[in-house]
Amino acid sequence: MSVDEVKRRDKLGSVIAFARRSLPELRRDAETIEPVDAPRPRRMLQLLKPLRWTRLIRTEEDVHPRRAGAGLIRGFGIFVLLPTALAGFYLFVLASDQYVVEARFAVRGEVLPLGEVKVGEFASVIQKNNSQDTYIVAEYIRSKPMLESAQQTLDVKTMFMRHEADFWARYSGKAPIEELLKYWRKQVQASIDLISGIITLKVTAFTPQDALAIANHIVARSENLINGISERAQEDMLRHSREEVQKAGERLTRAHLALKEFRNRWGIIDPAKSAEATYMTLIDLRKEKIKLENDLQVLRSSSLDEKSRSIQALVANVAAIDQQMKHLQQTLTNDAMAVDTPNAAQALLEYERLVIERTVAERLNESAVGMYERARIAASKQSIYLATFVPPAAPQYAALPQRPESLFVIFFCLLVTWGSATLLVEGVKDHNI
């Protein structure tokens, strides 16, 4: 055997040995590969099944353009056209007409700003026109008391369950008042314009008469609410003014009684004038004393006997004047005085305190009386009232449902949703290739 034959036999033997070693691995890899099934019509639930990790390849039949286009058309018809057709059937065949009554009114009078509202150059206008009473009216329209009043007067539950209404739009007739309140807030809407403070009321019903009756009832009840708030504020203002007048009058009466008791106790009508008169008398006595002392000095200088009648008379007059001056000074300033001798300083101090109290009481009484008069005049006028400048009127045509617009919105939303879902699914499939 030649050397070449030996080499070829050795190569063949090594290839066979390599194949024998690799055969189990190839067999094991082949067992993990799952063959791809033939393309079948995909259903919606099959598209949502999770991808199997053993599916490694896709055949050319799976990605055929013609079959992919047919799948897209089928999905578009199922998820877009069919729901749109059902919605159109409901809107144009089953949906009942709904009539909308609109009214506009505003709360007029002494309005107060709710606070700082930053809306650029319109901030001052908003602070001037927006009132808490406006928000009270808007919330009252949507409240349970308004619904109960309308139910008691108009029986709105029967209005919302008329046979003209379709199954989707009518009230379901559930017993709890809370369910009817939810439906009421959907049919009755009140919005506030932040700039002007105008309340816009929109009432939706299945007949023009029902919508008009509900709107008129809401406007009337809102006006009663505003009138009640105004009357309550006026009554509170008058009551407070009367109480202040009564308190001021009682204080003034006490001041006058205190002055009367002082005059009876001291026996003095006006201590200031009495003290002034006493002081003037004291000045006159001092002048008289000075004159008598001069005369006495003249007589003594003329060498008259000290026991002469003239000198004794002058000495007696001077002593009497001294006694009178001492008594007058004691009545003015001396604290240690007799019970029946009033002290002018103490009397004047007490009298000034009583006069100040009387003056303050008179000023307070005048102010309280003036405030009461102003409150009475203000109460005679309606400070807050409801101005309805667009009254409710019976509608001539049904404003709802807006069939073409609603159908277009439904079609657009379904198209966007279906397109997004399709792109997402195809992206996952392409990532699996």
Side-chain angles (χ1 to χ4, degrees), residues 131-367:
S131 169
Q132 190 177 21
D133 298 326
T134 303
Y135 287 90
I136 289 175
V137 172
E139 291 298 325
Y140 178 69
I141 292 174
R142 303 175 66 251
S143 66
K144 186 177 179 180
M146 175 64 80
L147 172 60
E148 292 176 347
S149 174
Q151 175 64 23
Q152 183 178 2
T153 306
L154 303 175
D155 192 10
V156 293
K157 185 175 181 180
T158 303
M159 292 180 177
F160 293 148
M161 296 176 61
R162 291 190 179 276
H163 65 278
E164 294 92 345
D166 60 89
F167 69 95
W168 185 266
R170 71 162 64 98
Y171 175 59
S172 60
K174 294 182 179 180
I177 189 65
E178 288 76 14
E179 296 295 332
L180 183 58
L181 182 60
K182 293 179 182 178
Y183 190 85
W184 169 270
R185 291 175 177 175
K186 184 177 69 174
Q187 298 296 107
V188 177
Q189 298 179 356
S191 58
I192 302 175
D193 185 11
L194 293 178
I195 304 299
S196 61
I198 296 174
I199 301 176
T200 301
L201 172 66
K202 292 184 179 180
V203 179
T204 304
F206 300 106
T207 63
Q209 295 78 15
D210 292 348
L212 181 60
I214 295 174
N216 287 329
H217 180 79
I218 291 175
V219 172
R221 292 292 299 177
S222 301
E223 187 171 1
N224 292 337
L225 174 66
I226 290 298
N227 293 338
I229 293 175
S230 178
E231 292 175 0
R232 191 179 304 113
Q234 293 167 359
E235 291 176 358
D236 293 341
M237 182 171 56
L238 286 175
R239 179 176 53 82
H240 178 71
S241 300
R242 284 193 294 267
E243 292 177 355
E244 292 297 324
V245 170
Q246 184 178 359
K247 292 179 181 178
E250 293 175 355
R251 183 173 181 178
L252 182 59
T253 301
R254 290 194 300 269
H256 283 294
L257 291 176
L259 276 174
K260 179 181 178 182
E261 191 273 336
F262 167 82
R263 286 164 178 166
N264 292 333
R265 177 163 46 88
W266 288 89
I268 302 175
I269 301 298
D270 191 345
K273 293 182 179 179
S274 299
E276 183 179 359
T278 302
Y279 182 73
M280 295 301 298
T281 302
L282 187 62
I283 292 177
D284 292 339
L285 290 175
R286 185 176 287 111
K287 291 180 179 179
E288 183 67 20
K289 179 183 177 182
I290 293 173
K291 181 180 178 181
L292 291 175
E293 288 178 348
N294 290 332
D295 293 341
L296 182 61
Q297 186 67 26
V298 170
L299 291 176
R300 285 176 177 175
S301 62
S302 61
S303 301
L304 287 177
D305 188 7
E306 188 69 24
K307 295 182 179 181
S308 64
R309 193 178 194 94
S310 300
I311 294 177
Q312 291 295 326
L314 291 176
V315 170
N317 289 334
V318 171
I321 291 175
D322 287 338
Q323 188 66 25
Q324 290 179 359
M325 290 177 61
K326 183 178 180 180
H327 177 73
L328 291 177
Q329 289 176 354
Q330 288 178 352
T331 59
L332 288 176
T333 59
N334 188 18
D335 292 335
M337 65 178 182
V339 177
D340 57 348
T341 304
N343 188 305
Q346 293 180 352
L348 186 60
L349 180 63
E350 184 177 354
Y351 179 77
E352 288 178 351
R353 180 178 61 82
L354 294 176
V355 168
I356 291 174
E357 176 63 21
R358 185 188 63 178
T359 304
V360 173
E362 289 176 350
R363 297 293 183 270
L364 289 177
N365 186 68
E366 292 176 0
S367 176

Side-chain angles (χ1 to χ4, degrees), residues 3-176:
V3 177
D4 295 334
E5 291 178 355
V6 172
K7 290 181 179 180
R8 284 197 301 271
R9 188 175 62 182
D10 292 340
K11 290 181 180 179
L12 181 59
S14 60
V15 170
I16 293 173
F18 175 77
R20 288 177 178 176
R21 290 193 305 269
S22 303
L23 184 59
E25 296 178 359
L26 291 175
R27 185 181 294 111
R28 185 173 62 254
D29 294 339
E31 290 176 354
T32 59
I33 298 176
E34 182 178 338
V36 180
D37 298 334
R40 292 176 296 178
R42 293 183 178 87
R43 299 178 181 178
M44 180 178 62
L45 295 179
Q46 291 177 344
L47 294 176
L48 298 178
K49 288 182 179 181
L51 297 175
R52 290 171 293 187
W53 68 276
T54 55
R55 191 162 189 170
L56 302 178
I57 61 172
R58 295 177 62 186
T59 61
E60 294 181 357
E61 294 179 352
D62 288 330
V63 295
H64 197 277
R66 184 176 300 176
R67 293 184 180 274
L72 290 176
I73 294 175
R74 184 168 56 252
F76 178 77
I78 295 174
F79 295 106
V80 179
L81 294 182
L82 181 59
T84 303
L86 294 176
F89 177 76
Y90 167 76
L91 289 173
F92 288 93
V93 179
L94 300 179
S96 57
D97 293 336
Q98 299 184 41
Y99 298 86
V100 179
V101 172
E102 181 176 325
R104 296 188 179 186
F105 47 87
V107 178
R108 304 290 295 171
E110 298 178 359
V111 297
L112 298 175
L114 291 178
E116 295 185 359
V117 182
K118 301 297 183 180
V119 193
E121 59 183 353
F122 301 105
S124 59
V125 181
I126 293 175
Q127 292 181 7
K128 182 178 180 181
N129 291 281
N130 282 347
S131 169
Q132 190 177 21
D133 298 326
T134 303
Y135 287 90
I136 289 175
V137 172
E139 291 298 325
Y140 178 69
I141 292 174
R142 303 175 66 251
S143 66
K144 186 177 179 180
M146 175 64 80
L147 172 60
E148 292 176 347
S149 174
Q151 175 64 23
Q152 183 178 2
T153 306
L154 303 175
D155 192 10
V156 293
K157 185 175 181 180
T158 303
M159 292 180 177
F160 293 148
M161 296 176 61
R162 291 190 179 276
H163 65 278
E164 294 92 345
D166 60 89
F167 69 95
W168 185 266
R170 71 162 64 98
Y171 175 59
S172 60
K174 294 182 179 180

